[in-house]
Coordinates of all heavy atoms in Angstrom, one line a residue:
F978 N -37.6 333.3 163.8 CA -38.4 332.1 164.0 C -39.2 331.6 162.8 O -39.2 330.6 162.4 CB -39.4 332.4 165.2 CG -40.3 331.2 165.4 CD1 -39.8 330.1 166.0 CD2 -41.6 331.2 165.1 CE1 -40.6 328.9 166.4 CE2 -42.5 330.1 165.2 CZ -42.0 328.9 165.9
A979 N -39.7 332.7 162.1 CA -40.6 332.2 160.9 C -39.6 331.8 159.8 O -40.0 330.8 159.1 CB -41.2 333.6 160.3
K980 N -38.5 332.3 159.6 CA -37.5 331.7 158.7 C -37.0 330.4 158.9 O -36.9 329.6 158.1 CB -36.3 332.8 158.6 CG -35.3 332.4 157.5 CD -34.2 333.4 157.4 CE -33.2 333.2 156.2 NZ -32.1 334.1 156.1
R981 N -36.8 330.2 160.3 CA -36.5 328.7 160.6 C -37.6 327.7 160.3 O -37.2 326.7 159.9 CB -36.2 328.7 162.3 CG -34.8 329.4 162.5 CD -34.5 329.2 164.0 NE -35.4 329.9 164.8 CZ -35.4 329.9 166.2 NH1 -34.5 329.2 166.8 NH2 -36.3 330.4 166.8
I982 N -38.8 328.1 160.7 CA -39.8 327.3 160.4 C -40.0 326.9 158.8 O -40.1 325.8 158.4 CB -41.2 327.7 160.8 CG1 -41.2 327.9 162.4 CG2 -42.4 327.0 160.3 CD1 -41.1 326.5 163.0
F983 N -39.8 328.1 158.0 CA -39.8 327.9 156.6 C -38.8 326.9 156.1 O -39.0 326.1 155.3 CB -39.7 329.3 155.9 CG -39.7 329.3 154.5 CD1 -40.7 329.0 153.7 CD2 -38.4 329.4 153.7 CE1 -40.7 328.9 152.4 CE2 -38.4 329.4 152.4 CZ -39.5 329.1 151.7
L984 N -37.5 327.1 156.7 CA -36.3 326.3 156.2 C -36.5 324.8 156.6 O -36.1 323.9 156.1 CB -35.1 326.9 156.7 CG -34.7 328.1 156.1 CD1 -33.4 328.7 156.7 CD2 -34.4 328.1 154.7
Y985 N -37.2 324.7 157.8 CA -37.5 323.3 158.3 C -38.3 322.6 157.5 O -38.0 321.3 157.2 CB -38.0 323.3 159.7 CG -38.3 322.1 160.4 CD1 -37.3 321.3 160.9 CD2 -39.6 321.5 160.4 CE1 -37.4 320.1 161.4 CE2 -39.7 320.4 161.0 CZ -38.8 319.6 161.5 OH -39.1 318.4 162.1
Y986 N -39.3 323.1 156.9 CA -40.4 322.5 156.1 C -39.9 322.4 154.7 O -40.5 321.6 153.9 CB -41.7 323.0 156.3 CG -42.3 322.6 157.6 CD1 -42.4 323.6 158.7 CD2 -42.7 321.4 157.9 CE1 -43.0 323.2 159.9 CE2 -43.2 321.0 159.2 CZ -43.3 321.9 160.2 OH -43.8 321.6 161.3
L987 N -39.0 323.2 154.3 CA -38.7 323.3 152.8 C -37.7 322.2 152.6 O -36.6 322.0 153.3 CB -37.9 324.7 152.5 CG -37.5 324.8 151.1 CD1 -38.7 325.1 150.2 CD2 -36.6 326.1 151.1
P988 N -37.9 321.3 151.7 CA -37.0 320.3 151.4 C -35.6 321.0 151.0 O -35.5 321.9 150.2 CB -37.4 319.5 150.1 CG -39.0 319.8 150.2 CD -39.1 321.2 150.8
F989 N -34.5 320.3 151.5 CA -33.2 320.8 151.3 C -33.0 322.2 151.8 O -32.0 322.9 151.4 CB -32.8 320.8 149.8 CG -33.1 319.5 149.0 CD1 -34.1 319.3 148.2 CD2 -32.1 318.5 149.5 CE1 -34.2 317.9 147.7 CE2 -32.3 317.2 148.8 CZ -33.3 316.9 148.0
G990 N -33.7 322.7 152.7 CA -33.7 324.0 153.3 C -32.3 324.3 154.0 O -31.6 325.3 153.9
R991 N -31.9 323.2 154.7 CA -30.7 323.3 155.6 C -29.4 323.3 154.5 O -28.5 324.2 154.7 CB -30.5 322.1 156.5 CG -29.2 322.3 157.2 CD -29.1 321.0 158.2 NE -29.9 321.1 159.4 CZ -29.7 321.8 160.5 NH1 -28.5 322.5 160.6 NH2 -30.6 321.9 161.5
W992 N -29.5 322.6 153.5 CA -28.5 322.5 152.6 C -28.4 324.0 151.8 O -27.3 324.4 151.5 CB -28.9 321.5 151.5 CG -27.9 321.6 150.3 CD1 -26.6 321.0 150.2 CD2 -28.1 322.3 149.0 NE1 -26.0 321.4 148.9 CE2 -27.0 322.2 148.2 CE3 -29.1 323.0 148.5 CZ2 -26.8 322.7 147.1 CZ3 -29.0 323.6 147.3 CH2 -27.9 323.4 146.5
F993 N -29.5 324.5 151.5 CA -29.6 325.8 150.8 C -28.9 326.9 151.7 O -28.0 327.7 151.2 CB -31.0 326.3 150.5 CG -31.1 327.6 149.7 CD1 -30.7 327.6 148.4 CD2 -31.4 328.6 150.4 CE1 -30.8 328.8 147.7 CE2 -31.6 329.9 149.7 CZ -31.3 329.9 148.3
V994 N -29.1 326.9 153.0 CA -28.5 327.9 153.9 C -27.0 327.6 154.0 O -26.2 328.6 154.1 CB -29.2 327.8 155.2 CG1 -28.5 328.7 156.2 CG2 -30.7 328.4 155.2
Y995 N -26.6 326.5 154.1 CA -25.2 326.0 154.4 C -24.4 325.5 153.2 O -23.2 325.2 153.5 CB -25.2 324.9 155.5 CG -25.6 325.5 156.9 CD1 -26.4 324.5 157.6 CD2 -25.2 326.6 157.4 CE1 -26.8 325.0 158.8 CE2 -25.6 327.1 158.6 CZ -26.3 326.1 159.4 OH -26.7 326.7 160.7
R996 N -24.9 325.8 152.1 CA -24.2 325.2 150.9 C -22.8 325.7 150.5 O -21.9 325.0 150.0 CB -25.1 325.3 149.6 CG -25.2 326.8 149.1 CD -26.3 327.0 148.0 NE -26.3 328.3 147.6 CZ -27.1 329.1 148.0 NH1 -27.7 328.9 149.0 NH2 -27.1 330.4 147.5
K997 N -22.5 326.9 151.1 CA -21.1 327.6 150.8 C -20.4 327.7 152.1 O -19.3 328.4 152.1 CB -21.3 328.9 150.1 CG -21.9 328.8 148.8 CD -22.1 330.2 148.1 CE -22.6 330.0 146.7 NZ -22.7 331.2 145.9
V998 N -20.9 327.2 153.3 CA -20.3 327.4 154.6 C -19.5 326.1 154.9 O -19.9 325.0 154.5 CB -21.2 327.6 155.6 CG1 -20.6 327.8 157.0 CG2 -22.1 328.8 155.3
T999 N -18.1 326.2 155.3 CA -17.5 325.1 155.7 C -17.0 325.4 157.2 O -16.8 326.5 157.6 CB -16.2 324.9 154.9 OG1 -15.3 326.1 155.0 CG2 -16.5 324.6 153.5
W1000 N -17.0 324.2 157.9 CA -16.6 324.3 159.4 C -15.2 323.7 159.5 O -15.0 322.6 159.0 CB -17.6 323.7 160.2 CG -18.8 324.5 160.2 CD1 -19.2 325.5 161.1 CD2 -20.0 324.3 159.5 NE1 -20.3 326.0 160.8 CE2 -20.9 325.4 159.7 CE3 -20.4 323.5 158.3 CZ2 -22.1 325.4 159.1 CZ3 -21.5 323.6 157.7 CH2 -22.4 324.6 158.1
Q1001 N -14.4 324.3 160.4 CA -13.1 323.7 160.6 C -13.3 322.4 161.3 O -14.2 322.3 162.4 CB -12.2 324.7 161.3 CG -11.7 325.9 160.6 CD -10.7 326.7 161.4 OE1 -10.3 326.3 162.4 NE2 -10.4 327.8 160.9
P1002 N -12.4 321.4 161.0 CA -12.7 320.2 161.9 C -12.0 320.3 163.1 O -11.0 320.9 163.4 CB -12.0 319.2 160.9 CG -11.1 319.9 160.1 CD -11.6 321.2 159.9
I1003 N -12.6 319.5 164.1 CA -12.0 319.3 165.5 C -11.8 317.8 165.6 O -12.8 317.1 165.1 CB -13.0 319.8 166.6 CG1 -13.2 321.3 166.5 CG2 -12.4 319.2 167.8 CD1 -14.2 321.7 167.5
I1004 N -10.7 317.3 166.0 CA -10.5 316.0 166.1 C -10.4 315.6 167.7 O -10.2 316.5 168.5 CB -9.2 315.5 165.4 CG1 -8.0 316.1 165.8 CG2 -9.4 315.6 163.8 CD1 -6.6 315.6 165.4
L1005 N -10.6 314.4 168.0 CA -10.7 314.0 169.4 C -9.3 314.3 170.1 O -9.3 314.5 171.2 CB -11.0 312.5 169.6 CG -12.4 312.3 169.1 CD1 -12.7 310.7 169.3 CD2 -13.4 313.0 169.8
A1006 N -8.2 314.2 169.2 CA -6.8 314.6 169.9 C -6.9 316.0 170.4 O -6.1 316.3 171.4 CB -5.7 314.4 168.8
Q1007 N -7.5 316.9 169.7 CA -7.6 318.3 170.2 C -8.3 318.4 171.4 O -8.0 319.1 172.3 CB -8.2 319.3 169.1 CG -7.3 319.4 167.9 CD -8.1 320.2 166.8 OE1 -9.0 319.6 166.2 NE2 -7.8 321.5 166.7
I1008 N -9.5 317.6 171.5 CA -10.3 317.6 172.8 C -9.5 317.0 173.9 O -9.5 317.6 175.0 CB -11.5 316.9 172.5 CG1 -12.4 317.6 171.5 CG2 -12.4 316.6 173.8 CD1 -13.6 316.9 170.9
D1009 N -8.8 316.0 173.6 CA -7.9 315.4 174.7 C -6.8 316.4 175.1 O -6.5 316.5 176.4 CB -7.3 314.0 174.1 CG -6.4 313.3 175.2 OD1 -7.1 313.1 176.3 OD2 -5.2 313.0 174.9

């Protein structure tokens, strides 16, 4: 919780945490 609050108020906090992470794309055809 404390770390989440810190990252929420820190400018670019989300970017800093996720800067090297990539997520596989899902397309609507897969959902269909």
Side-chain angles (χ1 to χ4, degrees):
F978 180 73
K980 187 175 180 183
R981 287 188 296 176
I982 294 297
F983 178 73
L984 291 175
Y985 179 76
Y986 287 108
L987 180 69
F989 305 107
R991 180 179 288 279
W992 172 84
F993 183 76
V994 171
Y995 288 141
R996 70 186 183 278
K997 294 182 181 180
V998 179
T999 58
W1000 291 273
Q1001 290 186 6
I1003 295 174
I1004 59 172
L1005 294 182
Q1007 289 173 287
I1008 295 171
D1009 186 53

